[in-house]
Amino acid sequence: MTEHAQLPAGGTPYRIAIVCLGNICRSPMAHVVLESALAEVGLAEAVTITSSGTAGWHTGKPMDSRAAAELSAAGHDPSRHRARQFTPAWFDHDLILAMDASNLADILALAPTAIDPGRVRLFRDFDPLAETGAEVPDPWSGGRQGFTDVLAMVERTAAHLVTLLQR
Ligand code: 4NP
């Protein structure tokens, strides 16, 4: 985790966008997990989560079946997800969380010059077990274990984000 990673100030509801490359594996998993963690503590209305991919290849499609299977096995509902593409309009969110450094660079390349850098962060800046700069690795071209690893990172980071959002 980045030392003393703080949430930027935001509106009501507080709006978080989670962004990966395809929006069919990592960011949908984080989206579903964080949304259910927020609902469990009564913050479903106070904090809204969206997700998107910097690439538009899968727009409109459900999430990858391996990501969906991993979520289902952990008791989450993957069925409502449809992939969306990140556009500059998404800079209206209070906090944008990128899954890896290349997603972060692609997002910042689209940013208006006035953007507060604290509003665009790596997702794992909020992972209590991660070193500074840690990424959620892309599991798409690998095996099942990659998806299991993503779920563990996402569950742990979502729990910490919920603690910060409760304050
Ligand atoms: P994601 O994974 O960014 O976690 O959704 C990927 C999904 C699809 C591709 C790459 C990564 N792709 O090249 O189609």
Side-chain angles (χ1 to χ4, degrees):
M1 178 165 66
T2 295
E3 249 356 86
H4 312 300
Q6 305 271 340
L7 292 173
T12 310
Y14 192 84
R15 300 176 65 220
I16 301 177
I18 306 176
V19 184
C20 62
L21 177 59
N23 192 219
I24 55 169
C25 300
R26 292 166 291 175
S27 62
M29 291 176 77
H31 180 167
V32 168
V33 167
L34 183 54
E35 213 164 56
S36 51
L38 288 164
E40 269 173 32
V41 298
L43 288 180
E45 276 162 33
V47 185
T48 66
I49 310 299
T50 52
S51 68
S52 60
T54 56
W57 310 313
H58 304 283
T59 297
K61 295 204 198 119
M63 75 175 81
D64 183 283
S65 58
R66 299 162 297 174
E70 202 65 48
L71 285 176
S72 296
H76 299 291
D77 175 12
S79 69
R80 294 192 311 269
H81 180 73
R82 294 295 178 272
R84 301 169 72 186
Q85 183 171 19
F86 183 88
T87 68
W90 289 61
F91 287 109
D92 67 355
H93 285 72
D94 298 305
L95 175 63
I96 298 173
L97 295 173
M99 285 300 182
D100 66 30
S102 114
N103 308 145
L104 183 69
D106 290 343
I107 293 164
L108 290 175
L110 296 173
T113 44
I115 186 94
D116 166 5
R119 286 178 45 219
V120 188
R121 315 275 314 238
L122 283 171
F123 182 76
R124 292 189 77 199
D125 283 357
F126 298 95
D127 177 348
L129 293 189
E131 303 290 327
T132 299
E135 304 178 303
V136 180
D138 184 353
W140 186 68
S141 52
R144 184 175 167 190
Q145 185 62 42
F147 288 84
T148 307
D149 294 344
V150 169
L151 183 66
M153 292 170 201
V154 157
E155 295 268 18
R156 190 168 66 227
T157 305
H160 184 64
L161 279 166
V162 168
T163 304
L164 294 176
L165 287 160
Q166 279 177 305
R167 289 184 192 154

